Amino acid sequence: MCFVYLDDLKVDRSADTKDFDTKEFQLKMANLGKILSHDATKFALACKPPRKPVDAIRMVSEISNTIYRLVGFYNTIPKEKGQGYRDAYKSSASDLLLGVISLCSSFMDKKNEEETKKKLVFMVPTAALWDHCNEMTHLPKDNKEAVLGAWKSIQETLKDAQSEVHDIASGEDISGGFDDEEEEEDKTEALDEEELEMAKTCSKLVDMSMFVTQKIERRCVRENQNPPVEWLDLIYNKAKKLVDETDVLVSQLYDEEVETMKKEVEKYIKLAGDLVKTAKEQATPEHAKWFEICENKYATM
């Protein structure tokens, strides 16, 4: 059942739900999370040795019903409410389904029966499922909240890349990403002068990306009372694309020739400039000027 629902979540349906209220939907899904959490507890108690098949069968039916409702409600989200909003609930539903699968699996292997009696191994997947259910109470109430939540991952990834490229540009990181325990012959040689200059250029670009994404998050999304749903999805997708390219840019510093890196830098600048241009659409006149300065800065790099 759960595997069927996981496949079902991959289908991009076009729901036409009239008067869909994102805030009411969040409350409805949060309540379903609480119900599933209680179901998981009763299921674990019903299945642990010594068990009564009739109790376990009843709880399987209860969990099945809750999961059915949860996936069904997810499929009522209209596309116009935002891809970020839909993705947040899709990810949560997927985690819940995988949690239920893990819990059920802990009781299905006869080899684990004696271990289940001694160590209560089912408590680990039960606790994990409780956590996933609890996370349902923190799901976004609209697409703006969804994008703000996902934006944290963008900032964290950029922060890691920023730290790494700073080390490379300073000449401190000569491992090429290898651990100290790797064989000596697997380590990468230090950058030459021209490569080091390229690393410094990449470092400046990543610093600027960090600053730009922080500015967008605060000025164009968080402080914007009603940003358009479509624009929120667009700005997030462009920021995500830039972050993905940041990983590529930094990782290639040791692997590619300088001429190749110049092309990568040009590509990166184009993506960054495109992000700034889109951000400017929802910026106040005051902050739009700042983004214009960024555009000009990228044009001269």
Side-chain angles (χ1 to χ4, degrees), residues 42-60 107 113:
K42 291 185 284 186
F43 174 76
L45 293 174
C47 291
K48 74 172 185 177
R51 66 195 80 184
K52 294 181 180 180
V54 63
D55 293 333
I57 292 171
R58 179 174 58 82
M59 287 316 306
V60 167
F107 293 107
E113 189 165 351

Side-chain angles (χ1 to χ4, degrees), residues 20-23 25-26 74 77-78 81-90 140-143 146-147 233:
F20 185 92
D21 189 308
T22 57
K23 294 181 180 179
F25 183 81
Q26 193 274 336
Y74 163 76
I77 304 176
K81 295 305 176 181
Q83 191 60 46
Y85 182 79
R86 286 166 55 87
D87 285 347
Y89 283 88
K90 179 180 180 179
K141 296 182 178 66
D142 53 33
N143 204 40
V147 169
D233 287 334

Side-chain angles (χ1 to χ4, degrees), residues 174-175 178-189:
I174 62 171
S175 66
F178 291 104
D179 294 333
D180 293 337
E181 296 179 358
E182 294 285 348
E183 294 295 331
E184 189 69 28
E185 59 268 21
D186 288 335
K187 293 186 178 181
T188 306
E189 294 180 359

Side-chain angles (χ1 to χ4, degrees), residues 147-162 204-223 231-232 234-247 268 271-280 283 287 290-291 294-295 298:
V147 169
L148 284 172
W151 208 271
K152 294 177 183 178
S153 177
I154 284 178
Q155 296 290 169
E156 290 171 358
T157 303
L158 270 178
K159 187 176 180 180
D160 290 341
Q162 186 181 40
K204 292 176 182 178
L205 285 171
V206 175
D207 285 345
M208 197 165 175
S209 293
M210 188 71 178
F211 195 25
V212 166
T213 54
Q214 288 174 339
K215 191 84 169 181
I216 293 172
E217 188 271 347
R218 182 178 178 184
R219 302 301 186 186
C220 301
V221 181
R222 189 176 299 278
E223 294 181 0
W231 177 86
L232 284 168
L234 182 63
I235 196 71
Y236 172 75
N237 288 333
K238 289 189 175 183
K240 181 66 167 58
K241 192 172 183 179
L242 180 65
V243 169
D244 291 343
E245 189 62 28
T246 301
D247 273 343
Y268 189 85
L271 289 174
D274 191 33
L275 174 65
V276 170
K277 184 178 180 180
T278 302
K280 196 168 60 173
H287 299 301
W290 186 89
F291 286 116
C294 284
E295 281 186 296
Y298 280 124

Side-chain angles (χ1 to χ4, degrees), residues 48-166:
K48 74 172 185 177
R51 66 195 80 184
K52 294 181 180 180
V54 63
D55 293 333
I57 292 171
R58 179 174 58 82
M59 287 316 306
V60 167
S61 178
E62 290 289 331
I63 288 183
S64 298
N65 181 55
T66 304
I67 290 294
Y68 174 80
R69 293 168 63 195
L70 190 145
V71 175
F73 282 138
Y74 163 76
N75 285 323
T76 66
I77 304 176
K79 285 187 176 181
E80 56 266 26
K81 295 305 176 181
Q83 191 60 46
Y85 182 79
R86 286 166 55 87
D87 285 347
Y89 283 88
K90 179 180 180 179
S91 176
S92 182
S94 179
D95 287 342
L96 289 174
L97 288 168
L98 291 171
V100 171
I101 291 171
S102 179
L103 176 58
C104 292
S105 297
S106 68
F107 293 107
M108 292 173 66
D109 191 346
K110 290 186 177 180
K111 295 180 180 178
N112 291 336
E113 189 165 351
E114 288 303 318
E115 289 297 313
T116 300
K117 291 179 181 179
K118 296 176 183 178
K119 301 181 181 179
L120 302 180
V121 293
F122 61 87
M123 286 306 300
V124 174
T126 302
L129 185 53
W130 287 339
D131 288 341
H132 291 316
C133 291
N134 183 59
E135 288 170 5
M136 295 284 286
T137 62
H138 304 296
L139 286 172
K141 296 182 178 66
D142 53 33
N143 204 40
K144 177 181 175 179
E145 279 195 12
V147 169
L148 284 172
W151 208 271
K152 294 177 183 178
S153 177
I154 284 178
Q155 296 290 169
E156 290 171 358
T157 303
L158 270 178
K159 187 176 180 180
D160 290 341
Q162 186 181 40
S163 177
E164 182 179 355
V165 76
H166 279 188

